[in-house]
Amino acid sequence: MKELGKRVLAGDIRAASRLIRNLEDQITDTYIAIQEIFKETGKSHVIGITGAPGAGKSTLTDELIQAYRSQGKTVGVLAVDPTSPFTGGALLGDRIRMLRHAEDPGVFVRSLATRGAMGGISKAVGEGIHVMDVLGKDRIIVETVGVGQQEVEIINHAHTVIVVLVPGMGDEIQALKAGLMEIADIFVINKADREGAGKLYKETMNMVQMSRDRAGVSKGWQIPVLLVESVMEPHKFAESVEKLRDKIEEHYQFLVDNDLISERMRRKTAAEIQEALWGAIMCPILNEMEASGEMKRMIDRCLLKDTDPYTLADEIALRYMKEGLAKDICADS
Amino acid sequence: MKELGKRVLAGDIRAASRLIRNLEDQITDTYIAIQEIFKETGKSHVIGITGAPGAGKSTLTDELIQAYRSQGKTVGVLAVDPTSPFTGGALLGDRIRMLRHAEDPGVFVRSLATRGAMGGISKAVGEGIHVMDVLGKDRIIVETVGVGQQEVEIINHAHTVIVVLVPGMGDEIQALKAGLMEIADIFVINKADREGAGKLYKETMNMVQMSRDRAGVSKGWQIPVLLVESVMEPHKFAESVEKLRDKIEEHYQFLVDNDLISERMRRKTAAEIQEALWGAIMCPILNEMEASGEMKRMIDRCLLKDTDPYTLADEIALRYMKEGLAKDICADS
């Protein structure tokens, strides 16, 4: 394993692909490779793209790659795919993604899908970003399917967050938008030719204007709402995505000029430390409990109502942890 | 706090509401109340409903409540709402949900939205189910917005999982379906009047027929695909939701007859134990690190590339944990 990080640092694409696969499989040893490359990270501009299924994020990402390549910038893409809980594995897959860039050495696309570990996807995304970062990609696009808490965690890794909305997705979207309002740096109304696009645009603009000052990460940034034309109109589509690209650059410059980048970096690092703590503390305990068959016995006892998960958890904590840690309110962990 | 659990056991609705709010806020002390009620849990049939935003899950849930009430069964509903990462809080809210049942003492509806803790939502859902369970609700419906890994974790708390699909949600749905195939016990094609409903029905039927034997939880169950009529046709809509209700009951009976309930209970309990371990081990450590300002210092050091999250995590593990725990592969924790 030790070689893997060094080979990635040397620009070995196959080593990078292998490392990302290992992250996906949550092989704990991969942390050694990430340790090797960590000092070289932090150079790329990370762009998060999220939104509901069917919003057209992949098509948008594909065109955004094009828009950056036309400026000579290199691009990495991490596509977080819906995970099969039992088999794991990226369902959309690299194969069917961004085919037209397959031969372009300036573009590196990987899908990520991780198994059921709590925070597992977010951890793998943070590490995947490091890999593409040390490969020297100028821009890294993280694309996630969905709009839940998990996507929020993933998006914490990005400097610039794009939320893609699309007409005709039902009322739930209205509620989702309110949550998205707090993570979005740029709203995109996709498939602008669709019925209801104008209405959605107005509603989103209203929400943006009504939204109070945002939490630290983008103070003073006026969230723009961009209309992106249908892919059926290739020329208009490309033009509106170029506008999006320029707006993304403008946002990054805004973060730099207002010294807000550091806040994003802190947020990202805090998440990474918490995820590393999970790997260093919880994983060994859970593994030992599985291996010894204790987990099975504990489940049996809970099913018999002979005890409860909380009492058992306190017992385990006493056994594995040194004295003197008080249990406390834990709202923001 | 100690009183809260006892009051819930006594059927105090306001205490139950308060307890659920506390779960949402992830106040660690609520575990005391859950300990108090745990022995009385395990009587309800838990039904999970998931699917993409805009699939019409809330309307379906509302009608499903009606279908169960017409049989005299009591119903609890836990609606997991999209979370605002900074403010937290349920965005859809109890108020705008299932209004027509607001006056019915046989129906208890609560929205759940939790803050950024890893696995936080799943933990709160598991505990919220316990609360509604000891309130004596015959059926508990857990409704989640989305189709990501997080929803899979949430849905692990359910005996019967309904996946709602809707025509015209784009190709991503096709990929999502493959993941959903492994969690779904029943597929619902909602808004069956919409263009593309027939096509979606056929595709889903094909996937169901092609799907290999499933993992333990529903061995031998032939996943049905039900068409639910548009709410615009109230009579047809009600009729098709009654069919859904009967199919849900049939699935539960199937689990009982084939002794598969116990497998679901084990899966649920395993998740609860892991989540309780997080609360007992990780929370106190993270809190102490926050309080002492050490987290801040660690972030600074990572930003300076003076060290990395993994090295720091190992240091923390050594400090807090007793000797003799080997770091190991951690794929399934």
Side-chain angles (χ1 to χ4, degrees):
Chain A
M1 281 304 224
K2 244 196 155 0
E3 279 316 292
L4 208 48
K6 292 198 176 58
R7 279 164 55 199
V8 172
L9 284 176
D12 181 336
I13 294 298
R14 287 179 44 235
S17 301
R18 167 147 175 239
L19 178 49
I20 288 175
R21 282 284 155 263
N22 291 349
L23 298 175
E24 191 171 71
D25 298 338
Q26 294 174 32
I27 298 171
T28 309
D29 297 9
T30 51
Y31 86 96
I32 296 166
I34 301 296
Q35 273 177 314
E36 288 175 341
I37 68 174
F38 186 81
K39 283 190 168 51
E40 302 305 320
T41 61
K43 299 180 179 68
S44 307
H45 174 191
V46 183
I47 301 156
I49 298 185
T50 191
K57 294 178 296 297
S58 298
T59 319
L60 194 66
T61 302
D62 179 65
E63 187 64 31
L64 196 54
I65 295 171
Q66 192 60 32
Y68 275 117
R69 293 301 290 146
S70 70
Q71 295 184 324
K73 296 193 176 75
T74 57
V75 182
V77 177
L78 274 174
V80 181
D81 284 342
T83 304
S84 154
F86 297 108
T87 62
L91 291 167
L92 299 182
D94 308 329
R95 296 161 305 288
I96 65 168
R97 284 184 168 282
M98 293 127 205
L99 285 175
R100 71 167 148 160
H101 306 293
E103 300 304 308
D104 180 350
V107 179
F108 186 63
V109 178
R110 284 297 175 269
S111 296
L112 261 186
T114 65
R115 306 237 174 79
M118 289 192 276
I121 292 179
S122 178
K123 183 171 189 295
V125 168
E127 294 168 342
I129 289 170
H130 287 325
V131 174
M132 295 194 164
D133 190 334
V134 298
L135 284 180
K137 296 289 171 265
D138 301 315
R139 301 292 180 269
I140 299 171
I141 301 172
V142 178
E143 180 200 327
T144 77
V145 175
V147 280
Q149 182 64 46
Q150 177 178 273
E151 285 66 38
V152 171
E153 284 172 22
I154 290 171
I155 236 61
N156 277 345
H157 293 292
H159 300 106
T160 303
V161 177
I162 300 161
V163 173
V164 182
L165 302 172
V166 67
M169 296 282 281
D171 297 342
E172 262 168 303
I173 287 294
Q174 302 306 323
L176 292 171
K177 281 223 304 285
L180 295 171
M181 186 63 57
E182 288 170 322
I183 63 169
D185 299 306
I186 298 169
F187 275 110
V188 164
I189 311 290
N190 209 1
K191 307 179 185 179
D193 58 317
R194 268 204 199 175
E195 190 192 342
K199 182 164 169 291
L200 181 57
Y201 176 80
K202 279 199 205 67
E203 289 166 355
T204 311
M205 282 300 285
N206 290 339
M207 290 191 73
V208 167
Q209 276 141 14
M210 291 183 321
S211 68
R212 289 161 284 90
D213 288 344
R214 314 174 63 208
V217 288
S218 276
K219 277 196 215 72
W221 170 255
Q222 187 55 50
I223 307 170
V225 183
L226 303 183
L227 285 160
V228 167
E229 298 298 327
S230 161
V231 65
M232 299 309 172
E233 302 248 26
H235 183 67
K236 282 188 182 175
F237 179 60
E239 232 175 39
S240 46
V241 173
E242 278 162 15
K243 286 205 187 73
L244 171 61
R245 172 202 62 201
D246 297 342
K247 191 55 80 171
I248 294 168
E249 296 303 300
E250 190 184 322
H251 175 259
Y252 188 78
Q253 197 52 50
F254 173 89
L255 293 180
V256 173
D257 296 345
N258 296 273
D259 191 32
L260 291 166
I261 280 285
S262 57
E263 287 191 56
R264 296 241 161 166
M265 296 301 291
R266 295 194 72 82
R267 186 177 66 174
K268 179 177 183 355
T269 306
E272 285 173 8
I273 291 172
Q274 189 175 130
E275 288 157 0
L277 283 168
W278 170 268
I281 295 175
M282 289 307 294
C283 290
I285 293 177
L286 291 168
N287 290 331
E288 195 167 277
M289 287 171 59
E290 284 295 341
S292 66
E294 176 166 27
M295 181 61 86
K296 186 187 171 309
R297 286 191 299 275
M298 284 169 56
I299 293 170
D300 293 332
R301 289 180 56 199
C302 286
L303 290 173
L304 294 168
K305 305 293 180 196
D306 159 37
T307 180
D308 63 85
Y310 305 88
T311 306
L312 289 173
D314 289 342
E315 289 169 17
I316 299 295
L318 278 176
R319 187 195 318 158
Y320 283 107
M321 295 171 68
K322 294 173 181 168
E323 298 306 312
L325 249 185
K327 204 158 179 173
D328 198 359
I329 285 168
C330 188
D332 299 324
S333 70
Chain B
M1 280 305 227
K2 240 194 157 1
E3 278 316 291
L4 208 48
K6 293 199 176 57
R7 280 164 57 198
V8 173
L9 284 176
D12 181 336
I13 294 296
R14 287 179 43 235
S17 302
R18 172 155 168 230
L19 179 49
I20 288 175
R21 282 285 154 262
N22 291 349
L23 299 176
E24 191 170 71
D25 298 338
Q26 293 175 32
I27 297 171
T28 309
D29 296 10
T30 51
Y31 85 99
I32 296 166
I34 302 295
Q35 273 177 314
E36 287 175 341
I37 68 173
F38 185 81
K39 283 190 169 50
E40 302 304 319
T41 61
K43 299 180 179 66
S44 306
H45 173 191
V46 183
I47 301 155
I49 299 186
T50 192
K57 294 179 296 298
S58 298
T59 318
L60 195 66
T61 301
D62 179 63
E63 189 63 32
L64 196 55
I65 295 171
Q66 192 61 33
Y68 275 118
R69 294 301 292 145
S70 70
Q71 296 183 325
K73 295 194 177 73
T74 58
V75 181
V77 177
L78 273 175
V80 181
D81 284 342
T83 303
S84 154
F86 296 108
T87 62
L91 291 167
L92 299 181
D94 309 327
R95 295 161 305 290
I96 65 170
R97 282 183 169 282
M98 295 124 204
L99 285 174
R100 71 168 149 161
H101 305 292
E103 300 304 308
D104 180 349
V107 179
F108 186 63
V109 177
R110 284 296 174 270
S111 295
L112 261 187
T114 64
R115 305 232 176 84
M118 289 192 277
I121 291 179
S122 178
K123 183 173 190 293
V125 168
E127 294 169 343
I129 289 170
H130 287 325
V131 174
M132 294 193 163
D133 191 333
V134 298
L135 284 180
K137 296 288 171 266
D138 302 315
R139 301 292 179 269
I140 299 170
I141 301 172
V142 177
E143 180 199 330
T144 77
V145 176
V147 280
Q149 182 63 45
Q150 178 179 271
E151 286 65 39
V152 171
E153 284 172 20
I154 290 171
I155 236 60
N156 278 345
H157 292 293
H159 301 107
T160 303
V161 177
I162 300 161
V163 172
V164 182
L165 303 173
V166 67
M169 296 283 280
D171 297 341
E172 260 167 306
I173 287 294
Q174 301 307 322
L176 292 170
K177 280 224 303 285
L180 295 170
M181 186 60 57
E182 287 170 321
I183 64 169
D185 300 305
I186 298 170
F187 275 110
V188 164
I189 311 290
N190 209 3
K191 304 177 185 180
D193 59 318
R194 271 204 199 176
E195 190 192 342
K199 182 165 168 292
L200 181 56
Y201 176 80
K202 280 199 203 67
E203 289 167 354
T204 312
M205 282 300 284
N206 290 341
M207 290 192 72
V208 168
Q209 277 141 12
M210 291 184 321
S211 68
R212 289 159 285 92
D213 289 344
R214 315 174 63 207
V217 288
S218 274
K219 280 197 214 73
W221 170 255
Q222 186 55 51
I223 307 170
V225 182
L226 303 183
L227 285 160
V228 167
E229 297 297 327
S230 162
V231 64
M232 299 307 171
E233 301 248 25
H235 184 65
K236 282 188 183 175
F237 179 60
E239 229 173 43
S240 46
V241 173
E242 278 161 16
K243 286 206 187 72
L244 172 60
R245 172 203 62 200
D246 297 341
K247 191 55 79 171
I248 294 168
E249 296 301 303
E250 191 185 322
H251 176 257
Y252 189 78
Q253 196 53 50
F254 173 88
L255 293 180
V256 173
D257 296 345
N258 296 273
D259 191 33
L260 292 167
I261 280 285
S262 58
E263 287 191 57
R264 295 241 163 169
M265 295 301 291
R266 295 193 72 82
R267 187 177 65 174
K268 179 179 180 2
T269 305
E272 285 173 7
I273 292 172
Q274 188 175 132
E275 288 157 0
L277 283 168
W278 170 268
I281 295 176
M282 289 308 292
C283 289
I285 294 177
L286 292 167
N287 290 329
E288 194 166 277
M289 287 170 59
E290 283 295 341
S292 67
E294 176 166 27
M295 183 61 87
K296 184 187 172 309
R297 286 189 297 276
M298 283 169 53
I299 293 169
D300 293 332
R301 289 179 57 200
C302 286
L303 290 174
L304 294 168
K305 306 294 181 194
D306 160 38
T307 179
D308 64 86
Y310 305 88
T311 306
L312 288 173
D314 289 342
E315 290 170 17
I316 299 293
L318 278 176
R319 188 195 318 159
Y320 283 108
M321 296 171 66
K322 294 172 181 169
E323 298 306 313
L325 251 185
K327 204 158 179 170
D328 198 1
I329 284 170
C330 187
D332 298 325
S333 67

